[in-house]
Amino acid sequence: MSDLRKIKVNGREIEVAPNLTLLQACEAAGEEIPRFCYHERLSVAGNCRMCLIEVKGGPPKPVASCAQNVRDLRPGPEGAPPELFTNTSMVKKAREGVMEFLLINHPLDCPICDQGGECDLQDQAMAYGRDGSRYEENKRAVEEKHMGPLIKTIMTRCIQCTRCVRFATEIAGVDDLGLINRGENAEITTYLEKAIESELTGNLIDVCPVGALTSRPYAFNARPWELTKTETIDVMDAVGSNIRVDARGREVMRILPRLNEGVNEEWISDKTRFIWDGLKRQRLDKPYVRENGKLRPASWDEAFAVVAAKLKSTAPARVAAIVGDLVPAEAIKALKDLTDAVGSPHRDCRQDQAPLGGARECYLFNSGIAGIERADRILIIGSNPRLEAPLVNARIRKAWLADLNLKIAMIGEASNLTFAYDHLGAGAESLAKGGDFLKGAERPLIIIGMGAIARADGAAVLADIASTAAAAGVVKDGWNGFNILHTAAARVAALDLDFLPRQGGRDFAGILKGVEEKAIDVVYNLGCDEFDAAKLKGAFVVYQGHHGDNGARHADVIFPGASYVEQPGVYANTEGRAQLANRAHFPFGEAREDWAIIRALSDRIGKTLPYDDLFALRQAMIADAPALGRIDENPTGAAPLDLSTVGVRGAVSTDPFRSPIRDFYLTNPIARASKTMAECSAAMSGATRMAAE
């Protein structure tokens, strides 16, 4: 610990790392330092001067603690530790003066600000604000700015801390925001008066300390003290971002990020944050039965009776089950057990038909999301991480900014990923170039997207990628850089539970073909909506889900299930990290938890599943897949990976790799039911602009 430096903060001696700022050092000593412009994850600007402290032996004026490091402090007499003071009269007077200056033009409209009750400005004004202003001139008014359908601006509140500019430039990687003019006329704006073209726009709301940027969809809908706050997990992608759901009664009012350094740090994507209005639209809140070609409301008893009669009269070999992208692990386990009890071998969780399975390390993001920052070369194959997993893309950009020696290459569709990379080619024919690119790296990392493997020759492509990875030393002692980037939140847990065809069973494509060939008579569809559900026409389809989307339109019986905020459940993210989602409110209408529906159906067909409550179900689930019981444990490096077992050798098509996500905002039933997501999709596609012209 010889590299630590001794300092004194308000007379208390501590040891800190020399690269810490004085602000961080003071907080390490237990002293609270007010700030507006400083943010731990952004570059230092030193704009607001709210963090002033006194340095003994330093200049005869307060020092901005965010802009000076411990290593810059001069020792005291005879080598005594440098001394810092945060509570002297000079510091207090300086902070009060800064606060008065910052509020000269602020409208002080706290009662109507959406950050009321959660605002740094309010808290600090209570400690350092004056009871009146000495400013007698007219306050400046600033025109509101257009930042798209997500951000509401009240720019007269802005104190030019530039947090938003730094976030957009450094984290999001877009140059749409900036500071123009000087002095009293300075203002932050979008240069071209257009929506900010980023999937992380909503984080600007969190970083703004004064309410100049607030949530447009949430504006004037609720106050924080009215809301019930629930910590849970996001399912809009496979990252598993940690979130907090704020609900009033049975209505979700907003979604905010939670801190998890290994997954999403403190950011979330716009889809994660603003999806909540889709949770109450187009909901399935009662069972339905198709009669004379039309769906009609029915009771649970009637719906169960219809399905039970059909299952009892159908041979097990003519029954199939499929699982969608938003389903919790408990429901997948229950449906698996039901298919086993019925005797059906046909089941699959891969509606995109990606050839994944086998050993757990064959389908995980093995380096971990945080492990991206340790790589010295990154090869992206068949993926657009900016659309498929914005937080993974942000992590790659973070690594790229931090390490000048980091090299990145891509095979697939060229697109703006917010960082520089070498485009090696469009398809599998360029994998050899990818191998050459990775050679010589100490910690090479490959990110394989569904665009490379979710196709007819996916198994062969995967085998070729694995061979390339083996030759480049992607897997070695202490490092596993072989990474699968999933797009479905439920996929890893379903693979862990082996929700795959049994001996002699059909996979997803085989089930669709079986329906076409009249070999499959009954299909249990648990939340599958991202395929052409019309291909199930001809079979008796039971759809269980929470939105009236693609799957429900072609169902003969509909069981209304619960969404991810309406039931507890376990989700395993693309890393294989099991995380616990909690219920924010109860389901709408007559809808029930997914596992409970399947358990009740099993009883009606005389194949009662051996658990009566969620605890017993989870015990059975963990017995099948122990990894799902290790909550929030990063499984990376748990077992070696034999790359020779990945994929199946075969002919490879010359077709280019294409990301499966074409519209980031409309990727699942909840998103397609969201008015806000529709507006974002229109804004990003240019439809709004063309309509205006």
Side-chain angles (χ1 to χ4, degrees):
M1 305 298 290
S2 59
D3 57 335
L4 297 181
R5 292 278 303 274
K6 288 184 178 180
I7 63 170
K8 282 187 176 181
V9 180
N10 295 337
R12 178 189 173 190
E13 187 172 301
I14 61 169
E15 289 187 333
V16 295
N19 62 330
L20 291 186
T21 63
L22 302 187
L23 186 152
Q24 293 170 318
C26 290
E27 292 195 331
E31 301 294 335
E32 184 178 353
I33 305 296
R35 85 290 301 268
F36 288 121
C37 71
Y38 178 79
H39 192 284
E40 288 79 0
R41 301 187 193 276
L42 304 176
S43 61
V44 173
N47 288 347
C48 73
R49 323 305 286 184
M50 198 64 204
C51 63
L52 294 172
I53 63 171
E54 184 177 349
V55 179
K56 186 176 181 180
K61 62 179 183 180
V63 173
S65 59
C66 69
Q68 187 172 343
N69 292 337
V70 171
R71 68 165 67 91
D72 300 324
L73 294 173
R74 294 184 297 178
E78 300 180 2
E83 291 193 55
L84 312 178
F85 298 95
T86 68
N87 54 8
T88 63
S89 59
M90 180 175 75
V91 171
K92 187 175 186 299
K93 185 177 180 181
R95 290 176 181 174
E96 289 176 351
V98 168
M99 176 64 72
E100 185 180 10
F101 173 75
L102 292 177
L103 297 184
I104 280 178
N105 291 306
H106 197 286
L108 303 176
D109 53 349
C110 294
I112 65 167
C113 178
D114 277 322
Q115 288 198 6
E118 304 173 315
C119 180
D120 296 336
L121 178 61
Q122 280 186 326
D123 295 340
Q124 295 179 36
M126 288 293 294
Y128 304 105
R130 296 172 58 92
D131 58 356
S133 176
R134 292 174 290 179
Y135 187 71
E136 297 179 351
E137 306 296 325
N138 292 327
K139 291 198 174 189
R140 183 183 71 150
V142 183
E143 288 186 3
E144 309 308 349
K145 310 302 178 184
H146 174 65
M147 295 189 184
L150 303 178
I151 305 295
K152 177 181 174 63
T153 65
I154 308 92
M155 299 309 292
T156 305
R157 297 174 184 162
C158 179
I159 60 171
Q160 285 88 46
C161 71
T162 69
R163 276 190 183 184
C164 56
V165 178
R166 285 176 284 149
F167 174 86
T169 305
E170 298 166 13
I171 308 296
V174 295
D175 296 325
D176 294 339
L177 276 179
L179 183 72
I180 62 172
N181 302 325
R182 302 183 66 179
E184 187 181 53
N185 298 316
E187 56 185 271
I188 288 172
T189 182
T190 53
Y191 295 120
L192 302 177
E193 289 290 317
K194 65 179 181 64
I196 299 174
E197 296 182 358
S198 172
E199 297 74 32
L200 302 172
T201 307
N203 295 290
L204 297 174
I205 301 164
D206 294 336
V207 301
C208 180
V210 294
L213 306 177
T214 58
S215 171
R216 186 178 293 279
Y218 175 72
F220 308 120
N221 281 343
R223 290 299 192 190
W225 52 84
E226 301 175 330
L227 306 175
T228 302
K229 303 169 179 63
T230 305
E231 295 185 348
T232 186
I233 302 301
D234 172 58
V235 300
M236 294 298 111
D237 53 32
V239 173
S241 298
N242 288 219
I243 58 173
R244 192 188 84 193
V245 175
D246 291 358
R248 185 171 59 192
R250 292 196 178 187
E251 184 176 4
V252 174
M253 304 303 295
R254 65 176 179 179
I255 296 173
L256 299 174
R258 288 192 291 126
L259 181 67
N260 189 318
E261 295 290 354
V263 181
N264 60 300
E265 298 184 291
E266 62 184 79
W267 319 120
I268 53 175
S269 73
D270 290 345
K271 189 163 49 176
T272 298
R273 185 185 296 268
F274 296 106
I275 200 74
W276 49 267
D277 69 319
L279 290 166
K280 61 183 179 182
R281 294 189 172 95
Q282 298 183 359
R283 291 301 302 268
L284 299 173
D285 59 356
K286 57 175 69 79
Y288 289 85
V289 173
R290 190 174 295 276
E291 194 174 84
N292 298 323
K294 294 184 178 181
L295 289 168
R296 63 166 178 83
S299 67
W300 275 106
D301 282 342
E302 183 182 2
F304 280 141
V306 171
V307 176
K310 189 67 178 179
L311 286 173
K312 288 178 179 179
S313 63
T314 304
R318 302 183 71 85
V319 177
I322 52 179
V323 162
D325 296 347
L326 309 181
V327 184
E330 293 86 347
I332 298 171
K333 165 64 176 172
L335 185 57
K336 177 192 174 188
D337 289 349
L338 182 63
T339 59
D340 288 343
V342 170
S344 169
H346 315 301
R347 64 191 183 204
D348 205 348
C349 61
R350 304 164 299 184
Q351 61 178 320
D352 57 7
Q353 301 175 42
L356 295 171
R360 197 167 193 250
E361 290 71 28
C362 295
Y363 54 82
L364 294 186
F365 202 97
N366 289 289
S367 71
I369 295 172
I372 292 171
E373 298 181 42
R374 297 176 56 205
D376 55 356
R377 292 200 183 179
I378 299 174
L379 176 62
I380 303 170
I381 303 175
S383 174
N384 183 339
R386 184 172 177 181
L387 300 182
E388 297 167 23
L391 275 306
V392 170
N393 195 74
R395 192 75 74 144
I396 299 173
R397 175 174 171 81
K398 180 182 178 183
W400 175 70
L401 289 174
D403 186 0
L404 296 176
N405 296 318
L406 175 63
K407 296 181 179 180
I408 306 172
M410 168 185 274
I411 300 174
E413 288 183 283
S415 57
N416 179 10
L417 298 182
T418 72
F419 48 80
Y421 62 86
D422 296 327
H423 188 238
L424 304 182
E429 72 281 353
S430 302
L431 289 177
K433 294 181 182 177
D436 295 338
F437 170 79
L438 293 174
K439 285 180 180 177
E442 290 186 20
R443 293 176 301 279
L445 186 145
I446 292 180
I447 298 176
I448 306 163
M450 295 298 108
I453 59 177
R455 51 190 226 167
D457 62 345
V461 172
L462 192 58
D464 286 354
I465 294 173
S467 297
T468 301
V474 169
V475 178
K476 61 183 75 173
D477 288 343
W479 178 255
N480 187 343
F482 187 82
N483 297 320
I484 303 293
L485 182 60
H486 291 274
T487 57
R491 183 68 50 81
V492 171
L495 293 172
D496 286 345
L497 290 165
D498 197 30
F499 198 91
L500 297 171
R502 296 166 63 192
Q503 186 69 31
R506 295 173 179 263
D507 61 8
F508 198 94
I511 292 170
L512 298 182
K513 189 175 181 181
V515 171
E516 183 184 358
E517 297 173 348
K518 308 298 183 184
I520 299 291
D521 293 333
V522 178
V523 178
Y524 199 111
N525 181 351
L526 180 56
C528 270
D529 293 283
E530 311 311 318
F531 74 108
D532 185 4
K535 291 183 177 181
L536 296 179
K537 191 175 182 181
F540 182 88
V541 179
V542 181
Y543 178 79
Q544 180 178 327
H546 39 77
H547 277 73
D549 204 76
N550 298 330
R553 295 189 187 103
H554 302 278
D556 295 282
V557 175
I558 295 176
F559 292 151
S563 71
Y564 72 106
V565 299
E566 298 160 7
Q567 61 182 330
V570 173
Y571 291 89
N573 74 349
T574 191
E575 305 170 297
R577 184 194 302 260
Q579 300 186 105
L580 190 61
N582 295 307
R583 178 195 290 122
H585 64 83
F586 287 95
F588 289 93
E590 300 176 35
R592 301 180 182 178
E593 294 179 21
D594 286 329
W595 77 269
I597 296 171
I598 299 168
R599 169 62 174 77
L601 178 62
S602 73
D603 189 55
R604 296 296 292 266
I605 64 175
K607 307 285 186 181
T608 305
L609 299 180
Y611 30 78
D612 295 324
D613 55 38
L614 188 60
F615 179 75
L617 169 56
R618 282 180 174 166
Q619 283 187 311
M621 178 183 75
I622 293 169
D624 277 5
L628 297 179
R630 297 189 285 269
I631 301 299
D632 205 33
E633 178 182 311
N634 189 352
T636 57
L641 171 60
D642 182 3
L643 289 171
S644 65
T645 64
V646 178
V648 179
R649 288 289 182 185
V652 174
S653 167
T654 58
D655 293 342
F657 300 145
R658 278 172 59 91
S659 172
I661 295 180
R662 314 313 300 178
D663 191 332
F664 169 74
Y665 300 99
L666 303 175
T667 56
N668 60 62
I670 305 175
R672 290 188 285 271
S674 167
K675 181 182 176 183
T676 302
M677 292 297 101
E679 291 174 351
C680 289
S681 177
M684 293 300 108
S685 67
T688 302
R689 183 168 58 254
M690 287 187 289
E693 293 174 354

